[in-house]
PDB file of all heavy atoms in Angstrom:
ATOM      1  N   GLN A1323     292.143 145.203  47.301  1.00  0.00           N
ATOM      2  CA  GLN A1323     292.349 143.982  48.159  1.00  0.00           C
ATOM      3  C   GLN A1323     292.775 142.785  47.326  1.00  0.00           C
ATOM      4  O   GLN A1323     293.206 141.884  47.858  1.00  0.00           O
ATOM      5  CB  GLN A1323     291.100 143.748  48.904  1.00  0.00           C
ATOM      6  CG  GLN A1323     290.701 144.880  49.783  1.00  0.00           C
ATOM      7  CD  GLN A1323     289.485 144.448  50.549  1.00  0.00           C
ATOM      8  OE1 GLN A1323     289.270 143.274  50.957  1.00  0.00           O
ATOM      9  NE2 GLN A1323     288.592 145.415  50.783  1.00  0.00           N
ATOM     10  N   SER A1327     300.176 140.407  47.609  1.00  0.00           N
ATOM     11  CA  SER A1327     301.594 140.292  47.337  1.00  0.00           C
ATOM     12  C   SER A1327     302.069 138.925  47.516  1.00  0.00           C
ATOM     13  O   SER A1327     303.200 138.685  47.360  1.00  0.00           O
ATOM     14  CB  SER A1327     302.338 141.228  48.266  1.00  0.00           C
ATOM     15  OG  SER A1327     302.032 140.962  49.610  1.00  0.00           O
ATOM     16  N   LEU A1702     296.606 146.990  64.924  1.00  0.00           N
ATOM     17  CA  LEU A1702     296.408 147.575  63.640  1.00  0.00           C
ATOM     18  C   LEU A1702     295.237 146.942  62.980  1.00  0.00           C
ATOM     19  O   LEU A1702     295.231 145.753  62.675  1.00  0.00           O
ATOM     20  CB  LEU A1702     297.651 147.359  62.805  1.00  0.00           C
ATOM     21  CG  LEU A1702     298.949 147.963  63.298  1.00  0.00           C
ATOM     22  CD1 LEU A1702     300.079 147.417  62.417  1.00  0.00           C
ATOM     23  CD2 LEU A1702     298.947 149.385  63.534  1.00  0.00           C
ATOM     24  N   ALA A1703     294.152 147.710  62.867  1.00  0.00           N
ATOM     25  CA  ALA A1703     292.887 147.115  62.302  1.00  0.00           C
ATOM     26  C   ALA A1703     292.532 147.967  61.061  1.00  0.00           C
ATOM     27  O   ALA A1703     292.448 149.157  61.056  1.00  0.00           O
ATOM     28  CB  ALA A1703     291.828 147.125  63.336  1.00  0.00           C
ATOM     29  N   ALA A1704     291.913 147.221  60.041  1.00  0.00           N
ATOM     30  CA  ALA A1704     291.171 147.856  58.925  1.00  0.00           C
ATOM     31  C   ALA A1704     289.792 147.341  58.808  1.00  0.00           C
ATOM     32  O   ALA A1704     289.637 146.219  58.690  1.00  0.00           O
ATOM     33  CB  ALA A1704     292.036 147.630  57.704  1.00  0.00           C
ATOM     34  N   GLY A1707     288.238 144.217  60.235  1.00  0.00           N
ATOM     35  CA  GLY A1707     289.497 143.626  60.899  1.00  0.00           C
ATOM     36  C   GLY A1707     289.583 144.151  62.336  1.00  0.00           C
ATOM     37  O   GLY A1707     290.481 143.635  63.140  1.00  0.00           O
ATOM     38  N   MET A1711     290.111 142.582  67.618  1.00  0.00           N
ATOM     39  CA  MET A1711     290.779 143.502  68.616  1.00  0.00           C
ATOM     40  C   MET A1711     289.919 143.790  69.719  1.00  0.00           C
ATOM     41  O   MET A1711     290.343 144.163  70.814  1.00  0.00           O
ATOM     42  CB  MET A1711     291.211 144.773  67.815  1.00  0.00           C
ATOM     43  CG  MET A1711     291.807 144.636  66.560  1.00  0.00           C
ATOM     44  SD  MET A1711     293.371 143.644  66.707  1.00  0.00           S
ATOM     45  CE  MET A1711     293.982 143.546  65.036  1.00  0.00           C
ATOM     46  N   PHE A1733     292.093 151.885  60.589  1.00  0.00           N
ATOM     47  CA  PHE A1733     292.140 152.259  59.156  1.00  0.00           C
ATOM     48  C   PHE A1733     290.686 152.008  58.587  1.00  0.00           C
ATOM     49  O   PHE A1733     290.146 150.919  58.652  1.00  0.00           O
ATOM     50  CB  PHE A1733     293.075 151.553  58.305  1.00  0.00           C
ATOM     51  CG  PHE A1733     294.533 151.666  58.691  1.00  0.00           C
ATOM     52  CD1 PHE A1733     295.034 150.932  59.676  1.00  0.00           C
ATOM     53  CD2 PHE A1733     295.316 152.587  57.900  1.00  0.00           C
ATOM     54  CE1 PHE A1733     296.390 151.097  60.071  1.00  0.00           C
ATOM     55  CE2 PHE A1733     296.631 152.718  58.247  1.00  0.00           C
ATOM     56  CZ  PHE A1733     297.194 152.054  59.396  1.00  0.00           C
ATOM     57  N   ILE A1776     298.126 152.094  55.056  1.00  0.00           N
ATOM     58  CA  ILE A1776     299.207 151.645  55.962  1.00  0.00           C
ATOM     59  C   ILE A1776     300.508 151.846  55.243  1.00  0.00           C
ATOM     60  O   ILE A1776     300.621 151.556  54.037  1.00  0.00           O
ATOM     61  CB  ILE A1776     299.048 150.041  56.398  1.00  0.00           C
ATOM     62  CG1 ILE A1776     299.870 149.772  57.477  1.00  0.00           C
ATOM     63  CG2 ILE A1776     299.025 149.120  55.117  1.00  0.00           C
ATOM     64  CD1 ILE A1776     299.445 148.433  58.222  1.00  0.00           C
ATOM     65  N   LEU A1781     303.466 153.862  60.334  1.00  0.00           N
ATOM     66  CA  LEU A1781     303.768 152.839  61.390  1.00  0.00           C
ATOM     67  C   LEU A1781     305.011 153.212  62.393  1.00  0.00           C
ATOM     68  O   LEU A1781     305.016 153.028  63.482  1.00  0.00           O
ATOM     69  CB  LEU A1781     304.112 151.453  60.713  1.00  0.00           C
ATOM     70  CG  LEU A1781     302.922 150.786  60.095  1.00  0.00           C
ATOM     71  CD1 LEU A1781     303.222 149.350  59.857  1.00  0.00           C
ATOM     72  CD2 LEU A1781     301.703 150.840  61.036  1.00  0.00           C
ATOM     73  N   VAL A1796     302.393 143.116  68.423  1.00  0.00           N
ATOM     74  CA  VAL A1796     301.534 143.881  67.402  1.00  0.00           C
ATOM     75  C   VAL A1796     300.496 142.911  66.698  1.00  0.00           C
ATOM     76  O   VAL A1796     300.959 141.872  66.224  1.00  0.00           O
ATOM     77  CB  VAL A1796     302.368 144.521  66.289  1.00  0.00           C
ATOM     78  CG1 VAL A1796     301.553 145.373  65.406  1.00  0.00           C
ATOM     79  CG2 VAL A1796     303.654 145.157  66.822  1.00  0.00           C
ATOM     80  N   CYS A1797     299.309 143.207  66.951  1.00  0.00           N
ATOM     81  CA  CYS A1797     298.185 142.453  66.243  1.00  0.00           C
ATOM     82  C   CYS A1797     297.664 143.168  65.047  1.00  0.00           C
ATOM     83  O   CYS A1797     297.444 144.385  65.121  1.00  0.00           O
ATOM     84  CB  CYS A1797     296.984 142.183  67.221  1.00  0.00           C
ATOM     85  SG  CYS A1797     297.397 141.285  68.588  1.00  0.00           S
ATOM     86  N   ILE A1798     297.554 142.472  63.914  1.00  0.00           N
ATOM     87  CA  ILE A1798     297.189 143.091  62.801  1.00  0.00           C
ATOM     88  C   ILE A1798     295.948 142.351  62.038  1.00  0.00           C
ATOM     89  O   ILE A1798     296.052 141.137  61.957  1.00  0.00           O
ATOM     90  CB  ILE A1798     298.233 143.397  61.793  1.00  0.00           C
ATOM     91  CG1 ILE A1798     297.812 144.053  60.521  1.00  0.00           C
ATOM     92  CG2 ILE A1798     299.066 142.121  61.457  1.00  0.00           C
ATOM     93  CD1 ILE A1798     298.945 144.689  59.753  1.00  0.00           C
ATOM     94  N   CYS A1799     294.950 142.927  61.582  1.00  0.00           N
ATOM     95  CA  CYS A1799     293.723 142.360  60.907  1.00  0.00           C
ATOM     96  C   CYS A1799     293.046 143.293  59.985  1.00  0.00           C
ATOM     97  O   CYS A1799     292.873 144.467  60.335  1.00  0.00           O
ATOM     98  CB  CYS A1799     292.862 141.822  61.936  1.00  0.00           C
ATOM     99  SG  CYS A1799     291.585 140.803  61.180  1.00  0.00           S
ATOM    100  N   GLY A1800     292.766 142.837  58.733  1.00  0.00           N
ATOM    101  CA  GLY A1800     291.950 143.524  57.802  1.00  0.00           C
ATOM    102  C   GLY A1800     291.895 142.884  56.493  1.00  0.00           C
ATOM    103  O   GLY A1800     292.106 141.680  56.410  1.00  0.00           O
ATOM    104  N   PRO A1801     291.631 143.551  55.423  1.00  0.00           N
ATOM    105  CA  PRO A1801     291.691 142.925  54.046  1.00  0.00           C
ATOM    106  C   PRO A1801     293.043 142.198  53.977  1.00  0.00           C
ATOM    107  O   PRO A1801     294.078 142.757  54.287  1.00  0.00           O
ATOM    108  CB  PRO A1801     291.529 144.036  53.062  1.00  0.00           C
ATOM    109  CG  PRO A1801     290.860 145.087  53.906  1.00  0.00           C
ATOM    110  CD  PRO A1801     291.407 145.051  55.288  1.00  0.00           C
ATOM    111  N   PRO A1802     293.027 140.952  53.328  1.00  0.00           N
ATOM    112  CA  PRO A1802     294.336 140.276  53.309  1.00  0.00           C
ATOM    113  C   PRO A1802     295.541 141.006  52.746  1.00  0.00           C
ATOM    114  O   PRO A1802     296.628 140.996  53.380  1.00  0.00           O
ATOM    115  CB  PRO A1802     294.003 139.091  52.470  1.00  0.00           C
ATOM    116  CG  PRO A1802     292.527 138.900  52.653  1.00  0.00           C
ATOM    117  CD  PRO A1802     291.942 140.238  52.944  1.00  0.00           C
ATOM    118  N   PRO A1803     295.355 141.842  51.697  1.00  0.00           N
ATOM    119  CA  PRO A1803     296.601 142.568  51.278  1.00  0.00           C
ATOM    120  C   PRO A1803     297.019 143.638  52.343  1.00  0.00           C
ATOM    121  O   PRO A1803     298.223 143.906  52.437  1.00  0.00           O
ATOM    122  CB  PRO A1803     296.205 143.199  50.037  1.00  0.00           C
ATOM    123  CG  PRO A1803     294.854 142.678  49.619  1.00  0.00           C
ATOM    124  CD  PRO A1803     294.194 142.052  50.934  1.00  0.00           C
ATOM    125  N   PHE A1804     296.139 144.142  52.938  1.00  0.00           N
ATOM    126  CA  PHE A1804     296.518 145.150  54.099  1.00  0.00           C
ATOM    127  C   PHE A1804     297.260 144.412  55.121  1.00  0.00           C
ATOM    128  O   PHE A1804     298.372 144.876  55.564  1.00  0.00           O
ATOM    129  CB  PHE A1804     295.179 145.695  54.700  1.00  0.00           C
ATOM    130  CG  PHE A1804     295.340 146.350  56.039  1.00  0.00           C
ATOM    131  CD1 PHE A1804     295.558 147.618  56.173  1.00  0.00           C
ATOM    132  CD2 PHE A1804     295.195 145.586  57.316  1.00  0.00           C
ATOM    133  CE1 PHE A1804     295.814 148.294  57.425  1.00  0.00           C
ATOM    134  CE2 PHE A1804     295.400 146.222  58.446  1.00  0.00           C
ATOM    135  CZ  PHE A1804     295.705 147.541  58.563  1.00  0.00           C
ATOM    136  N   THR A1805     296.818 143.279  55.556  1.00  0.00           N
ATOM    137  CA  THR A1805     297.514 142.490  56.526  1.00  0.00           C
ATOM    138  C   THR A1805     298.889 142.065  56.086  1.00  0.00           C
ATOM    139  O   THR A1805     299.912 142.217  56.753  1.00  0.00           O
ATOM    140  CB  THR A1805     296.725 141.251  56.990  1.00  0.00           C
ATOM    141  OG1 THR A1805     295.374 141.712  57.241  1.00  0.00           O
ATOM    142  CG2 THR A1805     297.348 140.485  58.177  1.00  0.00           C
ATOM    143  N   GLU A1806     298.948 141.551  54.801  1.00  0.00           N
ATOM    144  CA  GLU A1806     300.360 141.072  54.309  1.00  0.00           C
ATOM    145  C   GLU A1806     301.264 142.270  54.183  1.00  0.00           C
ATOM    146  O   GLU A1806     302.444 142.144  54.641  1.00  0.00           O
ATOM    147  CB  GLU A1806     300.153 140.609  52.856  1.00  0.00           C
ATOM    148  CG  GLU A1806     299.461 139.115  52.825  1.00  0.00           C
ATOM    149  CD  GLU A1806     299.045 138.829  51.448  1.00  0.00           C
ATOM    150  OE1 GLU A1806     299.671 139.305  50.442  1.00  0.00           O
ATOM    151  OE2 GLU A1806     298.094 138.017  51.422  1.00  0.00           O
ATOM    152  N   GLN A1807     300.729 143.455  53.772  1.00  0.00           N
ATOM    153  CA  GLN A1807     301.665 144.519  53.548  1.00  0.00           C
ATOM    154  C   GLN A1807     302.132 144.991  55.063  1.00  0.00           C
ATOM    155  O   GLN A1807     303.306 145.283  55.232  1.00  0.00           O
ATOM    156  CB  GLN A1807     300.899 145.585  52.962  1.00  0.00           C
ATOM    157  CG  GLN A1807     301.731 146.772  52.325  1.00  0.00           C
ATOM    158  CD  GLN A1807     300.923 147.901  51.810  1.00  0.00           C
ATOM    159  OE1 GLN A1807     299.711 147.696  51.453  1.00  0.00           O
ATOM    160  NE2 GLN A1807     301.549 149.063  51.723  1.00  0.00           N
ATOM    161  N   GLY A1808     301.183 145.012  55.888  1.00  0.00           N
ATOM    162  CA  GLY A1808     301.506 145.391  57.338  1.00  0.00           C
ATOM    163  C   GLY A1808     302.560 144.532  57.939  1.00  0.00           C
ATOM    164  O   GLY A1808     303.512 145.062  58.520  1.00  0.00           O
ATOM    165  N   VAL A1809     302.395 143.296  57.767  1.00  0.00           N
ATOM    166  CA  VAL A1809     303.344 142.301  58.358  1.00  0.00           C
ATOM    167  C   VAL A1809     304.811 142.571  57.744  1.00  0.00           C
ATOM    168  O   VAL A1809     305.853 142.643  58.526  1.00  0.00           O
ATOM    169  CB  VAL A1809     302.992 140.794  58.108  1.00  0.00           C
ATOM    170  CG1 VAL A1809     303.927 139.816  58.506  1.00  0.00           C
ATOM    171  CG2 VAL A1809     301.649 140.555  58.931  1.00  0.00           C
ATOM    172  N   LYS A1810     304.808 142.923  56.564  1.00  0.00           N
ATOM    173  CA  LYS A1810     306.121 143.089  55.816  1.00  0.00           C
ATOM    174  C   LYS A1810     306.706 144.431  56.464  1.00  0.00           C
ATOM    175  O   LYS A1810     307.891 144.356  56.836  1.00  0.00           O
ATOM    176  CB  LYS A1810     305.922 143.217  54.369  1.00  0.00           C
ATOM    177  CG  LYS A1810     307.123 143.118  53.413  1.00  0.00           C
ATOM    178  CD  LYS A1810     306.796 143.110  52.049  1.00  0.00           C
ATOM    179  CE  LYS A1810     308.010 143.508  51.164  1.00  0.00           C
ATOM    180  NZ  LYS A1810     308.552 144.726  51.430  1.00  0.00           N
ATOM    181  N   LEU A1811     305.879 145.367  56.527  1.00  0.00           N
ATOM    182  CA  LEU A1811     306.399 146.647  57.160  1.00  0.00           C
ATOM    183  C   LEU A1811     306.869 146.459  58.556  1.00  0.00           C
ATOM    184  O   LEU A1811     307.884 147.063  58.976  1.00  0.00           O
ATOM    185  CB  LEU A1811     305.342 147.730  57.093  1.00  0.00           C
ATOM    186  CG  LEU A1811     304.939 148.204  55.767  1.00  0.00           C
ATOM    187  CD1 LEU A1811     303.669 149.173  55.858  1.00  0.00           C
ATOM    188  CD2 LEU A1811     305.981 148.872  55.023  1.00  0.00           C
ATOM    189  N   LEU A1812     306.190 145.632  59.369  1.00  0.00           N
ATOM    190  CA  LEU A1812     306.636 145.363  60.683  1.00  0.00           C
ATOM    191  C   LEU A1812     307.935 144.667  60.751  1.00  0.00           C
ATOM    192  O   LEU A1812     308.814 144.972  61.607  1.00  0.00           O
ATOM    193  CB  LEU A1812     305.544 144.533  61.449  1.00  0.00           C
ATOM    194  CG  LEU A1812     304.257 145.191  61.629  1.00  0.00           C
ATOM    195  CD1 LEU A1812     303.105 144.257  62.144  1.00  0.00           C
ATOM    196  CD2 LEU A1812     304.365 146.351  62.830  1.00  0.00           C
ATOM    197  N   HIS A1813     308.200 143.791  59.860  1.00  0.00           N
ATOM    198  CA  HIS A1813     309.465 143.054  59.774  1.00  0.00           C
ATOM    199  C   HIS A1813     310.575 144.161  59.447  1.00  0.00           C
ATOM    200  O   HIS A1813     311.673 144.198  60.059  1.00  0.00           O
ATOM    201  CB  HIS A1813     309.504 141.936  58.840  1.00  0.00           C
ATOM    202  CG  HIS A1813     308.804 140.762  59.279  1.00  0.00           C
ATOM    203  ND1 HIS A1813     308.913 140.179  60.435  1.00  0.00           N
ATOM    204  CD2 HIS A1813     307.789 139.995  58.689  1.00  0.00           C
ATOM    205  CE1 HIS A1813     308.261 139.159  60.695  1.00  0.00           C
ATOM    206  NE2 HIS A1813     307.415 138.996  59.582  1.00  0.00           N
ATOM    207  N   ILE A1822     304.641 139.601  66.412  1.00  0.00           N
ATOM    208  CA  ILE A1822     303.514 139.898  65.518  1.00  0.00           C
ATOM    209  C   ILE A1822     302.605 138.895  65.526  1.00  0.00           C
ATOM    210  O   ILE A1822     302.796 137.647  65.327  1.00  0.00           O
ATOM    211  CB  ILE A1822     304.088 140.090  64.080  1.00  0.00           C
ATOM    212  CG1 ILE A1822     305.333 141.115  64.057  1.00  0.00           C
ATOM    213  CG2 ILE A1822     302.935 140.447  63.079  1.00  0.00           C
ATOM    214  CD1 ILE A1822     305.968 141.139  62.681  1.00  0.00           C
ATOM    215  N   HIS A1823     301.254 139.295  65.611  1.00  0.00           N
ATOM    216  CA  HIS A1823     300.299 138.233  65.358  1.00  0.00           C
ATOM    217  C   HIS A1823     299.408 138.744  64.289  1.00  0.00           C
ATOM    218  O   HIS A1823     298.701 139.795  64.381  1.00  0.00           O
ATOM    219  CB  HIS A1823     299.355 137.947  66.633  1.00  0.00           C
ATOM    220  CG  HIS A1823     298.430 136.817  66.194  1.00  0.00           C
ATOM    221  ND1 HIS A1823     298.695 135.519  66.461  1.00  0.00           N
ATOM    222  CD2 HIS A1823     297.199 136.857  65.667  1.00  0.00           C
ATOM    223  CE1 HIS A1823     297.705 134.714  66.035  1.00  0.00           C
ATOM    224  NE2 HIS A1823     296.783 135.521  65.634  1.00  0.00           N
ATOM    225  N   SER A1824     299.279 137.998  63.058  1.00  0.00           N
ATOM    226  CA  SER A1824     298.353 138.506  62.079  1.00  0.00           C
ATOM    227  C   SER A1824     297.178 137.459  61.932  1.00  0.00           C
ATOM    228  O   SER A1824     297.315 136.350  62.055  1.00  0.00           O
ATOM    229  CB  SER A1824     299.136 138.607  60.673  1.00  0.00           C
ATOM    230  OG  SER A1824     299.595 137.334  60.281  1.00  0.00           O
ATOM    231  N   PHE A1825     296.057 138.107  61.793  1.00  0.00           N
ATOM    232  CA  PHE A1825     294.775 137.330  61.694  1.00  0.00           C
ATOM    233  C   PHE A1825     294.454 137.013  60.233  1.00  0.00           C
ATOM    234  O   PHE A1825     294.342 137.972  59.501  1.00  0.00           O
ATOM    235  CB  PHE A1825     293.564 138.153  62.337  1.00  0.00           C
ATOM    236  CG  PHE A1825     293.744 138.245  63.866  1.00  0.00           C
ATOM    237  CD1 PHE A1825     294.392 139.164  64.464  1.00  0.00           C
ATOM    238  CD2 PHE A1825     293.091 137.203  64.693  1.00  0.00           C
ATOM    239  CE1 PHE A1825     294.602 139.356  65.804  1.00  0.00           C
ATOM    240  CE2 PHE A1825     293.277 137.220  66.029  1.00  0.00           C
ATOM    241  CZ  PHE A1825     293.983 138.329  66.587  1.00  0.00           C
ATOM    242  N   THR A1826     294.358 135.771  59.986  1.00  0.00           N
ATOM    243  CA  THR A1826     294.016 135.443  58.541  1.00  0.00           C
ATOM    244  C   THR A1826     292.921 134.233  58.679  1.00  0.00           C
ATOM    245  O   THR A1826     292.696 133.859  59.763  1.00  0.00           O
ATOM    246  CB  THR A1826     295.151 134.903  57.813  1.00  0.00           C
ATOM    247  OG1 THR A1826     295.847 133.969  58.608  1.00  0.00           O
ATOM    248  CG2 THR A1826     296.009 136.117  57.343  1.00  0.00           C
ATOM    249  N   ALA A1827     292.461 133.860  57.534  1.00  0.00           N
ATOM    250  CA  ALA A1827     291.337 132.807  57.606  1.00  0.00           C
ATOM    251  C   ALA A1827     292.004 131.508  58.183  1.00  0.00           C
ATOM    252  O   ALA A1827     293.119 131.306  57.826  1.00  0.00           O
ATOM    253  CB  ALA A1827     290.839 132.631  56.237  1.00  0.00           C
TER     254      ALA A1827
END
Side-chain angles (χ1 to χ4, degrees):
Q1323 299 185 36
S1327 59
L1702 303 172
M1711 310 305 175
F1733 297 81
I1776 193 164
L1781 291 194
V1796 190
C1797 295
I1798 179 162
C1799 186
F1804 163 91
T1805 308
E1806 281 166 30
Q1807 200 186 334
V1809 169
K1810 198 172 161 297
L1811 294 175
L1812 291 168
H1813 286 309
I1822 304 169
H1823 184 91
S1824 64
F1825 288 87
T1826 48

